[in-house]
Amino acid sequence: MLKSLDIYGQRNTLKIVVALNLLLVGTASLLYTNRLVERLEEREENYVKLYAKALVKAYDENSNEDMTFITQEIIFVNEKNQVPTIYVDENDKIIVHNFTFLPGTPDEEMDLELEENLAEMKEEHKPIVVEMGNKKRGYIYYHNSSLLTQLRFFPYVQLAVMIALGFLAYLAFSSARRAEQNRVWVGLAKETAHQLGTPLSSLMAWVEYFRTDPAMDQSIADEIEKDVNRLETIATRFSSIGSIPTLKREDLYETVHQFITYLEKRISTKVKMHVENYLVDGREVKINKLLFEWVIENICKNAVDAMGGIGSLTIRLLPLPRNEIAIDITDTGKGISKANLQKVFNPGYSTKKRGWGLGLTLAKRIIEEYHNGRLYVKSSEVGKGTTFRILLRETVVGEEPALESHKTIRSA
C-alpha cells in the first residue's frame, strides 16, 4: 500500500491558496475597473454629444443668443482636455478638430496624422450625428480620453505587479525554508555521527579484547570488526553532510564494481546484480568515494525494496557528449506512477511502511550539491521497473569515443 510521509506536502496547498487569492483579487479589481471604464465611457459619449450640440449652436447663423458661454465652457474646454474629437461634413471633410501640433509642422504632416486618427476613431466608436440645419449634416468622431485608456489597462498593470510581488515573496520564502531545512539536515547528520562515536569506540575495544582471548573464535571477531568498520563509514558519511567534502579522482568503473561486489552480499540472494561498462578503461571522475557509495547504496536498496527482494538490478556506465558520464541504475520492480514521479526526491516521501523517506533526498543532495552532477528518474513504467540516472562530469578532457567502438560488459 502506498504510504506518503511528505512533511512538506502543505507547501502545495499553500501555493494553491495564495494563487487562488491572487486570482480572486485580480478578478475583482478587473471587474470593478471595467465597470468604472464603462461608466466613464458613457459619460464621455454624453460629453461629446453635448459638444455636438454646442457646435450646432455656435455655427447657427440664425441664432440670436449669446454663444460666448457655450463657446468658452464647452467647445474650448473640450479642445484643451483629453477627449480628442474630429468634426467632418457629409463628404468626410475635416472641418474642426482639437488636436494640437507643434509650430511649424507642415500642413501635409498634419493632414496625414488627422486622417490616420480619423480612421482609428471610426473603428473605435460610432459617430455622433450633428444636424446643422438646411438639411446639412456632420459627424463627430472621437477617441477615448487618455485617462480612460490608462484606467482600462490599470487592472492588468496591477495584476502584473501583484504577481511580481507574489513571486518575489515566494522566492524569499523558499530561500528561507531551504536554509532552515539545510540547517536541520546538517544538525541532524552531525548529531547522529557524534552519537555513533561513543558506542563505536566501545565496540572497537571489545573487538581487541576478543582477539586477546585464546578461547574466542577469531572469525567472530573478524565479522564484528567488519560491522564496526561499516558503522564507522556510516558515521563518516553523516559527519560529511553540511561540510565541503574532499573530492578525489577515482576510476569510476572500479569504484562502482567494488561497491556492488560488497553490496550484493548484503542484499537478497534472489536479486541478480551486474554492472555493464561502456566506458574506456581509466575514465576518472572527481568524487568523494564514501558519499558516492552512499548514493549508489540508497538507490540500489530502494530498487531491491521495489522488487520485493526478487528481480534483476543493472548498473550501466555510459559515455555522453560534453565529457559527461551517466550511471543508469535499472530495476525490474513495480515502477513509479506519473503522479509520484515528482515526489520521489521529496523529504519524507516513502512507499515503505517503516521508511523515513530520506534516502533519495540525501542522494540527490550529495550528487547535485557536492559533486555538481544531476540525479533524476530517467524512466519508469508501472509494473516493469524504474531507471535512475546519475550524471557526472569526467575529469579527463578529450573526445568522447563512439559507444559501439568500445562496448565491454563486465559482471560484478
Side-chain angles (χ1 to χ4, degrees):
M1 181 178 178
L2 183 64
K3 176 187 177 184
S4 178
L5 302 174
D6 187 1
I7 59 177
Y8 296 101
Q10 294 181 351
R11 289 184 303 169
N12 294 329
T13 303
L14 180 61
K15 291 178 186 177
I16 293 173
V17 171
V18 171
L20 288 177
N21 278 282
L22 188 63
L23 182 62
L24 180 62
V25 171
T27 303
S29 175
L30 183 62
L31 293 175
Y32 177 72
T33 307
N34 283 340
R35 176 58 181 162
L36 288 179
V37 167
E38 290 174 0
R39 294 177 64 182
L40 279 175
E41 198 168 20
E42 182 180 354
R43 181 178 177 181
E44 288 187 357
E45 184 179 356
N46 291 331
Y47 184 77
V48 174
K49 289 179 179 179
L50 181 61
Y51 173 59
K53 292 179 180 179
L55 283 178
V56 173
K57 290 292 184 181
Y59 290 99
D60 187 359
E61 298 176 353
N62 299 320
S63 177
N64 296 321
E65 298 179 14
D66 184 6
M67 296 293 102
T68 304
F69 172 78
I70 297 177
T71 302
Q72 291 181 349
E73 298 300 325
I74 299 179
I75 298 178
F76 289 165
V77 169
N78 182 58
E79 288 179 353
K80 69 178 185 178
N81 279 334
Q82 296 93 350
V83 183
T85 57
I86 295 178
Y87 171 62
V88 300
D89 61 13
E90 293 178 328
N91 299 319
D92 225 22
K93 181 182 178 181
I94 297 175
I95 305 300
V96 180
H97 65 83
N98 64 349
F99 286 85
T100 302
F101 296 95
L102 293 175
T105 304
D107 293 341
E108 295 79 5
E109 290 187 12
M110 289 191 292
D111 292 341
L112 180 60
E113 185 172 342
L114 288 172
E115 291 294 339
E116 291 176 353
N117 277 279
L118 180 59
E120 292 176 1
M121 290 176 175
K122 290 180 178 180
E123 295 289 335
E124 190 172 345
H125 294 290
K126 292 182 178 180
I128 304 297
V129 180
V130 182
E131 299 289 349
M132 301 299 293
N134 298 324
K135 297 183 179 181
K136 291 183 179 180
R137 175 180 295 180
Y139 304 93
I140 294 180
Y141 295 93
Y142 65 99
H143 277 310
N144 289 330
S145 66
S146 59
L147 177 62
L148 184 59
T149 302
Q150 293 173 21
L151 189 60
R152 187 183 297 277
F153 289 101
F154 174 73
Y156 299 103
V157 175
Q158 184 184 41
L159 186 60
V161 171
M162 292 175 62
I163 291 175
L165 290 175
F167 179 69
L168 291 175
Y170 170 75
L171 290 180
F173 171 76
S174 297
S175 178
R177 180 184 56 79
R178 282 195 299 269
E180 181 181 1
Q181 178 184 344
N182 288 339
R183 288 194 294 271
V184 172
W185 281 112
V186 172
L188 177 62
K190 290 189 176 297
E191 180 63 20
T192 302
H194 175 72
Q195 294 295 332
L196 285 173
T198 302
L200 280 175
S201 299
S202 177
L203 287 172
M204 288 300 296
W206 279 106
V207 170
E208 294 301 321
Y209 173 78
F210 289 150
R211 290 193 183 284
T212 60
D213 186 356
M216 185 71 179
D217 186 351
Q218 293 302 307
S219 62
I220 297 178
D222 292 339
E223 291 302 318
I224 294 177
E225 185 175 18
K226 289 180 182 179
D227 289 333
V228 171
N229 291 336
R230 176 64 177 165
L231 288 174
E232 284 185 329
T233 299
I234 294 173
T236 303
R237 289 173 175 174
F238 275 109
S239 65
S240 299
I241 298 297
S243 304
I244 299 177
T246 302
L247 304 182
K248 295 182 179 180
R249 292 167 61 124
E250 303 282 355
D251 184 301
L252 186 60
Y253 170 73
E254 290 300 327
T255 300
V256 173
H257 178 271
Q258 290 175 9
F259 185 73
I260 294 301
T261 301
Y262 162 83
L263 188 62
E264 66 179 350
K265 298 177 181 178
R266 288 160 177 78
I267 61 174
S268 172
T269 56
K270 296 181 180 180
V271 174
K272 302 301 180 182
M273 300 182 67
H274 57 282
V275 178
E276 296 181 2
N277 180 39
Y278 297 90
L279 304 177
V280 170
D281 292 340
R283 299 291 285 271
E284 295 182 338
V285 291
K286 293 187 74 172
I287 58 173
N288 181 287
K289 195 171 182 179
L290 286 177
L291 292 179
F292 182 74
E293 289 176 349
W294 195 5
V295 172
I296 301 297
E297 179 179 355
N298 277 326
I299 297 176
C300 289
K301 285 188 174 180
N302 275 320
V304 172
D305 290 335
M307 294 185 292
I310 302 174
S312 174
L313 186 59
T314 304
I315 297 92
R316 295 183 181 89
L317 280 64
L318 306 167
L320 297 178
R322 298 187 299 274
N323 296 317
E324 285 188 324
I325 295 177
I327 303 100
D328 287 352
I329 303 175
T330 303
D331 63 61
T332 56
K334 56 187 178 182
I336 306 171
S337 66
K338 292 183 179 180
N340 292 324
L341 278 177
Q342 301 299 323
K343 300 179 182 179
V344 293
F345 294 108
N346 287 355
Y349 177 80
S350 176
T351 57
K352 295 177 287 188
K353 293 182 178 180
R354 296 185 180 182
W356 287 92
L358 302 179
L360 289 177
T361 304
L362 281 171
K364 189 174 183 67
R365 178 190 180 101
I366 290 169
I367 293 297
E368 297 188 355
E369 295 190 18
Y370 297 158
H371 293 85
N372 295 319
R374 287 185 61 201
L375 170 59
Y376 58 95
V377 179
K378 180 188 176 186
S379 62
S380 185
E381 188 174 351
V382 176
K384 292 188 176 181
T386 302
T387 297
F388 284 87
R389 168 164 282 191
I390 301 171
L391 289 180
L392 297 174
R393 184 165 293 278
E394 184 188 5
T395 56
V396 178
V397 178
E399 183 180 357
E400 290 289 341
L403 178 64
E404 292 79 4
S405 64
H406 59 270
K407 178 177 177 181
T408 57
I409 298 180
R410 306 181 187 178
S411 298

